[in-house]
Coordinates of all heavy atoms in Angstrom, one line a residue:
L231 N -8.9 19.7 0.0 CA -7.9 18.8 -0.7 C -8.6 17.5 -1.0 O -9.3 16.9 -0.2 CB -6.7 18.6 0.2 CG -5.6 17.7 -0.3 CD1 -4.2 18.3 0.1 CD2 -5.7 16.3 0.0
I232 N -8.4 17.0 -2.2 CA -8.9 15.7 -2.6 C -7.6 14.8 -2.6 O -6.6 15.1 -3.3 CB -9.5 15.7 -4.0 CG1 -10.6 16.7 -4.1 CG2 -10.0 14.3 -4.4 CD1 -11.2 16.9 -5.5
A233 N -7.7 13.6 -2.0 CA -6.6 12.7 -2.0 C -7.0 11.4 -2.7 O -8.0 10.8 -2.3 CB -6.1 12.4 -0.6
I234 N -6.3 11.0 -3.7 CA -6.5 9.8 -4.4 C -5.1 9.1 -4.6 O -4.1 9.6 -4.3 CB -7.2 10.0 -5.8 CG1 -6.4 10.9 -6.7 CG2 -8.6 10.5 -5.6 CD1 -6.9 11.0 -8.1
E235 N -5.2 7.8 -5.1 CA -4.0 7.1 -5.4 C -3.9 7.0 -6.9 O -5.0 6.9 -7.6 CB -4.0 5.7 -4.7 CG -3.8 5.8 -3.2 CD -3.9 4.5 -2.5 OE1 -3.5 3.5 -3.1 OE2 -4.3 4.5 -1.4
G236 N -2.7 6.9 -7.5 CA -2.5 6.8 -8.9 C -2.8 5.3 -9.4 O -3.2 5.1 -10.5
H237 N -2.6 4.4 -8.4 CA -2.8 3.0 -8.8 C -3.0 2.3 -7.4 O -2.1 2.3 -6.6 CB -1.5 2.5 -9.4 CG -1.5 1.1 -9.9 ND1 -0.4 0.3 -10.0 CD2 -2.5 0.3 -10.3 CE1 -0.7 -0.9 -10.5 NE2 -2.0 -0.9 -10.7
Y238 N -4.2 1.7 -7.3 CA -4.6 1.3 -5.9 C -3.9 -0.1 -5.6 O -4.0 -1.0 -6.4 CB -6.1 1.2 -5.8 CG -6.7 2.6 -5.6 CD1 -6.9 3.4 -6.7 CD2 -6.8 3.1 -4.4 CE1 -7.4 4.7 -6.6 CE2 -7.3 4.4 -4.2 CZ -7.5 5.2 -5.3 OH -7.9 6.5 -5.1
S239 N -3.3 -0.1 -4.4 CA -2.4 -1.2 -4.1 C -3.1 -2.5 -3.8 O -2.6 -3.6 -3.9 CB -1.5 -0.8 -2.9 OG -2.3 -0.6 -1.8
M240 N -4.4 -2.4 -3.3 CA -5.1 -3.7 -3.0 C -5.8 -4.2 -4.2 O -6.2 -5.3 -4.3 CB -6.1 -3.4 -1.9 CG -5.5 -3.1 -0.6 SD -4.5 -4.4 0.1 CE -3.8 -3.6 1.5
D241 N -6.1 -3.3 -5.2 CA -7.0 -3.7 -6.3 C -6.4 -3.6 -7.7 O -6.9 -4.2 -8.6 CB -8.3 -2.7 -6.2 CG -9.1 -3.0 -5.0 OD1 -9.9 -3.9 -5.0 OD2 -8.8 -2.4 -3.9
G242 N -5.3 -2.8 -7.8 CA -4.7 -2.7 -9.1 C -5.4 -2.0 -10.1 O -5.3 -2.2 -11.3
D243 N -6.2 -1.0 -9.7 CA -6.9 -0.2 -10.7 C -6.5 1.3 -10.6 O -5.9 1.7 -9.7 CB -8.5 -0.3 -10.5 CG -9.0 0.1 -9.2 OD1 -8.2 0.1 -8.2 OD2 -10.1 0.5 -9.0
V244 N -6.9 2.0 -11.7 CA -6.4 3.4 -11.9 C -7.5 4.4 -11.9 O -8.5 4.1 -12.7 CB -5.6 3.4 -13.2 CG1 -5.1 4.8 -13.6 CG2 -4.4 2.5 -13.1
P245 N -7.5 5.5 -11.2 CA -8.6 6.4 -11.2 C -8.6 7.3 -12.5 O -7.6 7.4 -13.2 CB -8.4 7.3 -10.0 CG -6.9 7.3 -9.8 CD -6.4 5.9 -10.3
D246 N -9.7 8.0 -12.7 CA -9.8 8.9 -13.8 C -9.2 10.2 -13.4 O -9.9 11.1 -12.9 CB -11.3 9.1 -14.2 CG -11.5 9.9 -15.4 OD1 -10.6 10.6 -15.8 OD2 -12.7 9.9 -15.9
L247 N -7.9 10.3 -13.6 CA -7.2 11.5 -13.1 C -7.7 12.8 -13.7 O -7.9 13.8 -13.0 CB -5.7 11.3 -13.4 CG -4.8 12.6 -13.0 CD1 -4.8 12.8 -11.5 CD2 -3.4 12.4 -13.5
P248 N -7.9 12.9 -15.1 CA -8.3 14.1 -15.6 C -9.6 14.6 -15.0 O -9.8 15.8 -14.8 CB -8.5 13.8 -17.1 CG -7.5 12.7 -17.4 CD -7.6 11.9 -16.1
A249 N -10.5 13.6 -14.7 CA -11.8 14.0 -14.1 C -11.7 14.5 -12.7 O -12.3 15.5 -12.3 CB -12.8 12.8 -14.2
F250 N -10.8 13.9 -11.9 CA -10.6 14.4 -10.6 C -9.9 15.8 -10.6 O -10.2 16.6 -9.8 CB -9.7 13.4 -9.8 CG -10.5 12.3 -9.1 CD1 -10.4 11.0 -9.6 CD2 -11.3 12.5 -8.0 CE1 -11.2 10.0 -9.0 CE2 -12.1 11.5 -7.4 CZ -12.0 10.2 -7.9
A251 N -9.0 15.9 -11.5 CA -8.3 17.2 -11.6 C -9.3 18.3 -12.0 O -9.2 19.5 -11.5 CB -7.2 17.1 -12.7
E252 N -10.2 18.0 -12.9 CA -11.2 19.0 -13.3 C -12.1 19.4 -12.2 O -12.3 20.6 -12.0 CB -12.0 18.3 -14.5 CG -12.7 19.3 -15.3 CD -14.0 19.8 -14.7 OE1 -14.8 19.0 -14.2 OE2 -14.3 21.0 -14.8
I253 N -12.6 18.5 -11.3 CA -13.5 18.9 -10.2 C -12.6 19.7 -9.2 O -13.1 20.6 -8.5 CB -14.3 17.8 -9.6 CG1 -13.4 16.7 -9.0 CG2 -15.3 17.2 -10.6 CD1 -14.2 15.8 -8.0
A254 N -11.4 19.2 -9.0 CA -10.6 19.9 -8.0 C -10.4 21.4 -8.5 O -10.5 22.3 -7.6 CB -9.2 19.3 -7.9
R255 N -10.1 21.6 -9.7 CA -9.9 23.0 -10.2 C -11.2 23.8 -10.1 O -11.2 24.9 -9.6 CB -9.4 22.9 -11.7 CG -8.8 24.2 -12.2 CD -8.2 24.0 -13.6 NE -9.0 23.4 -14.5 CZ -8.7 22.2 -15.1 NH1 -7.6 21.6 -14.9 NH2 -9.6 21.7 -16.0
R256 N -12.3 23.2 -10.5 CA -13.6 23.9 -10.5 C -14.0 24.3 -9.1 O -14.6 25.4 -8.9 CB -14.7 23.1 -11.2 CG -15.8 23.9 -11.6 CD -16.4 23.3 -12.9 NE -16.4 21.9 -13.1 CZ -17.3 21.1 -12.5 NH1 -18.2 21.5 -11.7 NH2 -17.2 19.8 -12.7
H257 N -13.7 23.5 -8.1 CA -14.1 23.8 -6.7 C -12.9 24.4 -5.9 O -13.0 24.4 -4.7 CB -14.6 22.5 -6.0 CG -15.9 22.1 -6.6 ND1 -17.2 22.6 -6.1 CD2 -16.2 21.2 -7.6 CE1 -18.1 22.0 -6.8 NE2 -17.6 21.2 -7.7
K258 N -11.9 24.8 -6.6 CA -10.7 25.4 -5.9 C -10.2 24.5 -4.7 O -10.1 25.0 -3.6 CB -11.1 26.8 -5.4 CG -11.4 27.8 -6.5 CD -11.5 29.2 -5.9 CE -11.5 30.3 -7.0 NZ -12.2 30.0 -8.2
A259 N -10.0 23.3 -5.1 CA -9.5 22.3 -4.1 C -8.1 21.8 -4.6 O -7.8 21.8 -5.8 CB -10.4 21.1 -3.9
W260 N -7.2 21.6 -3.6 CA -5.9 20.9 -4.0 C -6.2 19.5 -4.4 O -7.1 18.9 -3.8 CB -5.0 20.9 -2.8 CG -4.3 22.2 -2.6 CD1 -3.8 23.1 -3.5 CD2 -3.8 22.7 -1.3 NE1 -3.1 24.1 -2.9 CE2 -3.1 23.9 -1.5 CE3 -4.0 22.3 0.0 CZ2 -2.6 24.7 -0.5 CZ3 -3.4 23.0 1.1 CH2 -2.7 24.2 0.8
L261 N -5.3 19.0 -5.2 CA -5.4 17.5 -5.5 C -4.0 16.9 -5.1 O -3.0 17.4 -5.6 CB -5.6 17.3 -7.0 CG -5.7 15.9 -7.5 CD1 -6.9 15.1 -6.8 CD2 -6.0 15.8 -9.0
L262 N -4.1 15.8 -4.3 CA -2.9 15.1 -3.9 C -3.1 13.7 -4.5 O -4.1 13.0 -4.3 CB -2.7 15.0 -2.4 CG -1.5 14.2 -1.9 CD1 -0.9 14.9 -0.6 CD2 -1.9 12.8 -1.6
V263 N -2.1 13.2 -5.3 CA -2.1 11.9 -5.8 C -0.9 11.1 -5.3 O 0.2 11.5 -5.4 CB -2.0 11.9 -7.4 CG1 -2.2 10.5 -7.9 CG2 -3.2 12.8 -7.9
D264 N -1.3 10.0 -4.6 CA -0.3 9.1 -4.0 C 0.2 8.1 -5.2 O -0.6 7.2 -5.6 CB -0.9 8.3 -2.9 CG 0.0 7.4 -2.2 OD1 0.9 6.8 -2.9 OD2 -0.1 7.1 -1.0
E265 N 1.4 8.2 -5.5 CA 2.0 7.5 -6.7 C 2.8 6.3 -6.2 O 3.7 5.8 -7.0 CB 2.8 8.4 -7.5 CG 2.0 9.4 -8.3 CD 1.5 8.9 -9.6 OE1 0.4 8.3 -9.6 OE2 2.1 9.0 -10.6
A266 N 2.6 5.8 -5.0 CA 3.4 4.7 -4.4 C 3.6 3.6 -5.4 O 4.6 3.1 -5.7 CB 2.8 4.2 -3.1
H267 N 2.4 3.2 -6.0 CA 2.4 2.0 -6.9 C 2.3 2.4 -8.4 O 2.0 1.5 -9.2 CB 1.3 1.0 -6.5 CG 1.5 0.5 -5.1 ND1 2.3 -0.6 -4.9 CD2 1.1 0.9 -3.9 CE1 2.3 -0.9 -3.6 NE2 1.6 0.1 -3.0
S268 N 2.5 3.7 -8.7 CA 2.4 4.1 -10.1 C 3.8 4.4 -10.7 O 4.0 4.1 -11.9 CB 1.6 5.4 -10.2 OG 0.5 5.4 -9.3
V269 N 4.7 4.9 -9.9 CA 6.0 5.3 -10.4 C 6.7 4.0 -10.8 O 6.8 3.0 -10.0 CB 6.8 6.1 -9.4 CG1 8.3 6.2 -9.8 CG2 6.2 7.5 -9.4
G270 N 7.2 3.9 -12.0 CA 7.9 2.7 -12.5 C 6.9 1.7 -13.0 O 7.3 0.7 -13.5
V271 N 5.6 2.0 -12.9 CA 4.6 1.0 -13.2 C 3.7 1.5 -14.3 O 3.5 0.9 -15.3 CB 3.8 0.6 -12.0 CG1 2.6 -0.3 -12.4 CG2 4.6 0.0 -10.9
L272 N 3.2 2.8 -14.2 CA 2.3 3.3 -15.1 C 3.0 4.3 -16.1 O 4.0 4.9 -15.7 CB 1.2 4.1 -14.5 CG 0.2 3.4 -13.5 CD1 -0.8 4.4 -13.0 CD2 -0.4 2.2 -14.2
G273 N 2.5 4.3 -17.3 CA 3.2 5.2 -18.4 C 4.3 4.4 -19.0 O 4.9 3.5 -18.4
R274 N 4.6 4.8 -20.3 CA 5.6 4.0 -21.0 C 7.0 4.1 -20.4 O 7.7 3.2 -20.5 CB 5.6 4.6 -22.5 CG 6.0 3.5 -23.5 CD 5.6 3.9 -24.9 NE 6.4 5.0 -25.4 CZ 7.6 4.9 -25.9 NH1 8.2 3.7 -26.0 NH2 8.2 6.0 -26.4
H275 N 7.3 5.3 -19.8 CA 8.6 5.4 -19.1 C 8.5 5.3 -17.6 O 9.4 5.6 -16.9 CB 9.2 6.8 -19.5 CG 9.3 6.9 -21.0 ND1 8.3 7.5 -21.7 CD2 10.4 6.6 -21.8 CE1 8.8 7.5 -23.0 NE2 10.0 7.0 -23.1
G276 N 7.3 4.8 -17.1 CA 7.2 4.6 -15.7 C 7.1 5.9 -14.9 O 7.4 6.0 -13.7
R277 N 6.6 7.0 -15.6 CA 6.5 8.3 -14.9 C 5.2 8.4 -14.1 O 4.9 9.5 -13.6 CB 6.6 9.4 -15.9 CG 8.0 9.6 -16.5 CD 8.0 10.5 -17.7 NE 9.3 10.7 -18.1 CZ 10.0 11.8 -17.8 NH1 9.5 12.7 -17.0 NH2 11.3 11.9 -18.2
G278 N 4.4 7.4 -14.1 CA 3.2 7.4 -13.3 C 1.9 7.7 -14.0 O 1.9 7.7 -15.3
I279 N 0.9 8.1 -13.3 CA -0.4 8.2 -13.8 C -0.5 9.4 -14.8 O -1.3 9.3 -15.8 CB -1.5 8.3 -12.7 CG1 -2.9 8.1 -13.3 CG2 -1.4 9.5 -11.9 CD1 -4.0 8.0 -12.3
A280 N 0.2 10.4 -14.6 CA 0.2 11.6 -15.6 C 0.6 11.1 -17.0 O 0.0 11.4 -18.0 CB 1.1 12.7 -15.1
E281 N 1.7 10.3 -17.0 CA 2.1 9.8 -18.3 C 1.1 8.8 -18.9 O 0.8 8.8 -20.1 CB 3.5 9.1 -18.2 CG 4.1 8.7 -19.5 CD 5.4 8.0 -19.5 OE1 5.7 7.3 -18.4 OE2 6.1 8.0 -20.5
H282 N 0.5 8.0 -18.0 CA -0.5 7.0 -18.4 C -1.7 7.7 -19.2 O -2.2 7.3 -20.2 CB -1.1 6.3 -17.2 CG -2.2 5.4 -17.4 ND1 -2.1 4.1 -17.9 CD2 -3.6 5.6 -17.2 CE1 -3.3 3.6 -17.9 NE2 -4.2 4.4 -17.6
F283 N -2.1 8.9 -18.6 CA -3.2 9.7 -19.3 C -2.7 10.7 -20.3 O -3.5 11.4 -20.9 CB -4.0 10.4 -18.2 CG -5.0 9.4 -17.6 CD1 -4.8 9.0 -16.3 CD2 -6.2 9.0 -18.2 CE1 -5.7 8.1 -15.7 CE2 -7.1 8.2 -17.6 CZ -6.9 7.7 -16.3
G284 N -1.3 10.9 -20.3 CA -0.8 11.9 -21.3 C -1.1 13.3 -20.8 O -1.4 14.1 -21.7
V285 N -1.2 13.5 -19.5 CA -1.5 14.9 -19.0 C -0.3 15.5 -18.4 O 0.7 14.8 -18.0 CB -2.7 14.9 -18.1 CG1 -3.9 14.4 -18.7 CG2 -2.4 14.1 -16.8
D286 N -0.3 16.8 -18.2 CA 0.8 17.6 -17.6 C 0.9 17.4 -16.1 O -0.2 17.3 -15.4 CB 0.5 19.1 -17.9 CG 1.8 19.9 -17.8 OD1 2.3 20.0 -16.6 OD2 2.2 20.4 -18.8
G287 N 2.1 17.3 -15.6 CA 2.3 17.1 -14.1 C 1.7 18.3 -13.3 O 1.3 18.1 -12.2
A288 N 1.5 19.4 -14.0 CA 1.0 20.6 -13.3 C -0.5 20.5 -12.9 O -1.0 21.3 -12.2 CB 1.2 21.9 -14.1
L289 N -1.1 19.5 -13.5 CA -2.6 19.3 -13.2 C -2.8 18.9 -11.7 O -3.9 19.0 -11.2 CB -3.0 18.1 -14.1 CG -4.4 18.1 -14.7 CD1 -4.6 19.3 -15.5 CD2 -4.6 16.9 -15.5
V290 N -1.7 18.4 -11.1 CA -1.9 17.9 -9.7 C -1.0 18.8 -8.8 O 0.1 19.2 -9.1 CB -1.3 16.4 -9.7 CG1 -1.1 16.0 -8.2 CG2 -2.3 15.5 -10.4
D291 N -1.6 19.2 -7.6 CA -0.9 20.1 -6.7 C 0.3 19.4 -6.0 O 1.3 19.9 -5.8 CB -1.9 20.7 -5.8 CG -2.9 21.4 -6.5 OD1 -2.7 22.6 -6.9 OD2 -4.0 20.9 -6.7
F292 N 0.0 18.1 -5.5 CA 1.0 17.4 -4.7 C 1.1 16.0 -5.3 O 0.1 15.2 -5.1 CB 0.6 17.4 -3.2 CG 0.5 18.8 -2.6 CD1 -0.8 19.3 -2.5 CD2 1.6 19.5 -2.3 CE1 -0.9 20.6 -1.9 CE2 1.4 20.8 -1.7 CZ 0.2 21.3 -1.6
W293 N 2.2 15.7 -5.9 CA 2.5 14.3 -6.2 C 3.2 13.7 -5.0 O 4.4 14.0 -4.7 CB 3.4 14.3 -7.5 CG 2.8 14.7 -8.7 CD1 3.1 15.9 -9.4 CD2 1.9 14.0 -9.5 NE1 2.3 15.9 -10.5 CE2 1.6 14.8 -10.6 CE3 1.2 12.7 -9.4 CZ2 0.7 14.4 -11.6 CZ3 0.4 12.3 -10.4 CH2 0.1 13.1 -11.5
M294 N 2.5 12.8 -4.4 CA 3.2 12.1 -3.3 C 3.7 10.7 -3.9 O 3.0 10.1 -4.7 CB 2.1 11.8 -2.2 CG 2.7 11.1 -0.9 SD 2.7 9.3 -1.1 CE 3.6 8.8 0.3
G295 N 4.8 10.3 -3.4 CA 5.4 9.0 -3.9 C 6.1 8.3 -2.8 O 6.5 9.0 -1.8
T296 N 6.4 7.1 -3.0 CA 7.3 6.4 -2.0 C 8.5 5.9 -2.8 O 8.5 5.6 -4.0 CB 6.6 5.2 -1.4 OG1 6.2 4.2 -2.4 CG2 5.3 5.6 -0.6
L297 N 9.6 5.7 -2.0 CA 10.8 5.3 -2.6 C 11.1 3.8 -2.4 O 12.1 3.2 -2.8 CB 12.0 6.1 -2.0 CG 11.9 7.6 -2.2 CD1 12.8 8.4 -1.3 CD2 12.1 8.0 -3.7
S298 N 10.1 3.2 -1.7 CA 10.3 1.8 -1.3 C 9.8 0.8 -2.3 O 9.9 -0.4 -2.1 CB 9.5 1.6 0.0 OG 8.1 2.0 -0.1
K299 N 9.2 1.2 -3.3 CA 8.6 0.3 -4.3 C 9.5 0.1 -5.5 O 10.6 -0.4 -5.3 CB 7.2 0.8 -4.7 CG 6.3 1.2 -3.6 CD 5.8 0.1 -2.7 CE 4.9 0.5 -1.6 NZ 5.1 1.7 -0.7
A300 N 9.2 0.7 -6.7 CA 10.0 0.4 -7.8 C 11.4 1.0 -7.7 O 12.3 0.6 -8.3 CB 9.3 1.0 -9.1
L301 N 11.5 2.0 -6.8 CA 12.8 2.7 -6.7 C 13.8 2.1 -5.7 O 14.9 2.7 -5.5 CB 12.6 4.2 -6.5 CG 11.8 4.9 -7.5 CD1 11.6 6.4 -7.2 CD2 12.4 4.8 -8.9
A302 N 13.4 1.0 -5.2 CA 14.4 0.1 -4.4 C 15.0 0.8 -3.2 O 16.2 0.6 -2.9 CB 15.4 -0.4 -5.4
G303 N 14.3 1.7 -2.5 CA 14.9 2.3 -1.4 C 13.9 2.3 -0.2 O 13.3 1.3 0.1
C304 N 13.8 3.5 0.4 CA 12.9 3.6 1.6 C 12.6 5.1 1.7 O 13.6 5.9 1.6 CB 13.6 3.1 2.8 SG 12.7 3.1 4.3
G305 N 11.4 5.5 2.0 CA 11.1 6.9 2.2 C 10.0 7.4 1.3 O 9.4 6.6 0.5
G306 N 9.6 8.6 1.4 CA 8.5 9.2 0.6 C 8.9 10.6 0.1 O 10.0 11.1 0.5
Y307 N 8.1 11.1 -0.7 CA 8.4 12.5 -1.2 C 7.1 13.2 -1.6 O 6.1 12.6 -1.9 CB 9.4 12.4 -2.4 CG 8.9 11.7 -3.6 CD1 8.1 12.4 -4.6 CD2 9.1 10.4 -3.8 CE1 7.7 11.7 -5.7 CE2 8.6 9.7 -4.9 CZ 7.9 10.4 -5.8 OH 7.4 9.8 -7.0
I308 N 7.2 14.5 -1.7 CA 6.2 15.3 -2.3 C 6.8 16.1 -3.4 O 7.8 16.9 -3.2 CB 5.5 16.3 -1.3 CG1 4.9 15.5 -0.2 CG2 4.6 17.2 -2.0 CD1 3.5 14.9 -0.5
A309 N 6.4 15.9 -4.7 CA 6.9 16.8 -5.8 C 5.8 17.8 -6.0 O 4.6 17.4 -6.2 CB 7.1 15.9 -7.0
C310 N 6.1 19.1 -6.1 CA 5.1 20.1 -6.1 C 5.7 21.4 -6.6 O 6.9 21.4 -7.1 CB 4.4 20.2 -4.8 SG 5.6 20.7 -3.4
S311 N 5.0 22.5 -6.3 CA 5.6 23.8 -6.7 C 6.7 24.2 -5.8 O 6.9 23.6 -4.7 CB 4.5 24.9 -6.5 OG 4.1 25.0 -5.1
R312 N 7.5 25.2 -6.2 CA 8.6 25.6 -5.4 C 8.1 26.1 -4.0 O 8.7 25.8 -3.0 CB 9.4 26.7 -6.1 CG 10.7 27.1 -5.4 CD 11.7 27.7 -6.4 NE 12.1 26.8 -7.4 CZ 12.0 27.0 -8.7 NH1 11.5 28.1 -9.2 NH2 12.4 26.1 -9.6
R313 N 7.0 26.9 -4.1 CA 6.4 27.4 -2.9 C 5.9 26.3 -1.9 O 6.1 26.4 -0.7 CB 5.3 28.4 -3.3 CG 4.8 29.3 -2.3 CD 3.9 30.3 -3.0 NE 3.0 31.0 -2.1 CZ 3.3 31.8 -1.2 NH1 4.6 32.2 -1.0 NH2 2.4 32.4 -0.4
G314 N 5.3 25.3 -2.5 CA 4.8 24.2 -1.7 C 5.9 23.5 -1.0 O 5.8 23.2 0.2
A315 N 7.0 23.2 -1.7 CA 8.1 22.5 -1.1 C 8.8 23.3 0.0 O 9.2 22.8 1.0 CB 9.1 22.1 -2.2
E316 N 8.9 24.6 -0.3 CA 9.5 25.5 0.7 C 8.7 25.5 2.0 O 9.2 25.5 3.1 CB 9.6 26.9 0.1 CG 10.5 27.9 0.8 CD 12.0 27.5 0.7 OE1 12.3 26.5 0.1 OE2 12.8 28.3 1.2
Y317 N 7.4 25.6 1.8 CA 6.5 25.6 3.0 C 6.8 24.3 3.8 O 7.0 24.3 5.0 CB 5.0 25.6 2.6 CG 4.1 25.4 3.7 CD1 3.8 26.3 4.7 CD2 3.4 24.1 3.8 CE1 3.0 26.1 5.7 CE2 2.6 23.9 4.9 CZ 2.3 24.8 5.8 OH 1.5 24.6 6.9

Side-chain angles (χ1 to χ4, degrees):
L231 181 144
I232 306 173
I234 57 173
E235 292 178 28
H237 184 207
Y238 284 86
S239 62
M240 296 293 176
D241 293 272
D243 61 336
V244 174
D246 185 346
L247 176 67
F250 275 109
E252 200 278 318
I253 62 164
R255 197 171 46 240
R256 199 143 37 78
H257 290 273
K258 295 189 168 39
W260 278 328
L261 180 60
L262 178 144
V263 182
D264 181 330
E265 290 275 88
H267 297 274
S268 319
V269 165
V271 176
L272 298 183
R274 210 159 70 79
H275 301 89
R277 290 168 173 264
I279 191 173
E281 188 183 25
H282 174 81
F283 279 105
V285 298
D286 197 295
L289 216 57
V290 167
D291 301 282
F292 300 100
W293 290 107
M294 183 273 170
T296 61
L297 301 168
S298 55
K299 315 289 184 314
L301 300 180
C304 181
Y307 64 86
I308 297 285
C310 59
S311 65
R312 188 157 295 124
R313 196 166 157 72
E316 195 66 358
Y317 170 75

